[in-house]
Amino acid sequence: MIRFCKPLLLLAALSIGLAAPPAAAQTLDAVRERGFLVCGSANPLAGFAQQDSDGRWSGFDVDLCRGLAAAVFGNPDLIEFRAFRGEARFAPLQTGAVDVLMRNGAWVAGRDIRYGAEYVTPSFFDGQAFLVPQSLGVVSAYELDDVSICVVDGSGELQALDEFFFANQTSFKEVVYEEVADLMVAYRSGLCQVASASGRQLQAIRRELPDPAQHRILPERISKETLAPVVRQGDIEWFNIVRWTIFTLITAEEVGVTSLNIDSLAATRTPAVKRLLGLEDDYGAAFGLRPTFMADIIRAIGNYAELYDRHFGPQTGAAMLRGQNALWSNGGLLYAPPIR
């Protein structure tokens, strides 16, 4: 009996070993040994990730990467940024070619349980929106009626339009295209009165128009999309570091700490600010980081409001309302747990 059982027990042990996830806490060690963070995102998109003529990357995604590098190294410039076009995003994460994806496909159940990847925490809320010329004279999606709308078919957006207009007992005429890039050409050429896609895609289109101020993105969203950093499964230490990088930005805005005033707050008596800046208790040790890692993030890229304004504010020439991306206390969805 023992002679027959031993091979079965050995086979079971091998099966368990093969199915086990990678050892935890590997990513932080690998990043430190390499000496820089390898950070990725989805397709280049104006405001989120764009490259200048000298090959330098900038944008919302890039600054989040810089914030994470500041948390790990105290230096936001120790990053290599990569934009993965198309759908080739999860494989580089799985193989270790990148340490984190700061923007990927929207967070849905299927992506959160496949590919050996985990979405960390929301960094940007979005959804299907409407881009209209100011000359149309509407300020709300609920005013749209009897209009022609450019939309991409096959992504659920046409169905969302049908449901929205049916619910409001209004009408529209679809002008259907296969790719988002076609929407820019069609809308600019006047082939439709309105363009409909995710708010971030419409913002990129708007920035390319000759006079962005003559066009607006209506405030309503008729679907919900959540963007979040993505990391490999099985490394809870790295998961928490990335998550608290995002939480740091939100908390800093809540308590009024900015990249401009942070160095003047060394003598603050406010407990929440002292904890954020590493002046009271050592929260960094639990993450394997310095006591001042949160202060280093803020000093490098500012708080969430500074980050948003830098890439979507008035100085871009195509300001985008914060809407859902405002703090919970200002009617938005951004929320971070207390630092305690």
Side-chain angles (χ1 to χ4, degrees), residues 24-35 235 237-238:
Q26 292 181 338
T27 307
L28 179 60
D29 293 339
V31 170
R32 281 178 168 155
E33 184 176 351
R34 188 193 307 123
D235 192 339
E237 181 183 54
W238 186 244

Side-chain angles (χ1 to χ4, degrees), residues 52-135:
D52 65 17
S53 57
D54 296 321
R56 290 187 295 263
W57 287 98
S58 63
F60 187 86
D61 300 342
V62 181
D63 271 353
L64 289 181
C65 294
R66 296 181 71 246
L68 181 57
V72 174
F73 297 109
N75 184 343
D77 297 324
L78 295 178
I79 69 167
E80 179 180 307
F81 186 81
R82 302 175 184 173
F84 293 94
R85 292 166 172 80
E87 298 301 319
R89 299 187 293 265
F90 286 105
L93 183 66
Q94 290 172 322
T95 61
V98 295
D99 304 309
V100 60
L101 293 169
M102 279 303 180
R103 177 171 52 90
N104 194 44
W107 192 347
V108 296
R111 289 179 176 139
D112 208 22
I113 59 178
R114 302 188 189 114
Y115 316 121
E118 288 184 282
Y119 282 78
V120 176
T121 195
S123 58
F124 193 90
F125 294 97
D126 201 2
Q128 186 173 344
F130 298 94
L131 174 65
V132 301
Q134 298 279 23
S135 58

Side-chain angles (χ1 to χ4, degrees), residues 40 74 76 89 106 109 139 146 202-203 265 314 319 334:
R89 299 187 293 265
V139 296
D146 192 24
L202 295 180
Q203 177 69 359
L265 297 173
L334 287 183

Side-chain angles (χ1 to χ4, degrees), residues 271-291:
V273 175
K274 291 174 71 173
R275 291 192 291 267
L276 181 67
L277 302 186
L279 303 174
E280 181 178 283
D281 299 326
D282 182 1
Y283 290 94
F287 296 98
L289 302 174
R290 303 169 311 286

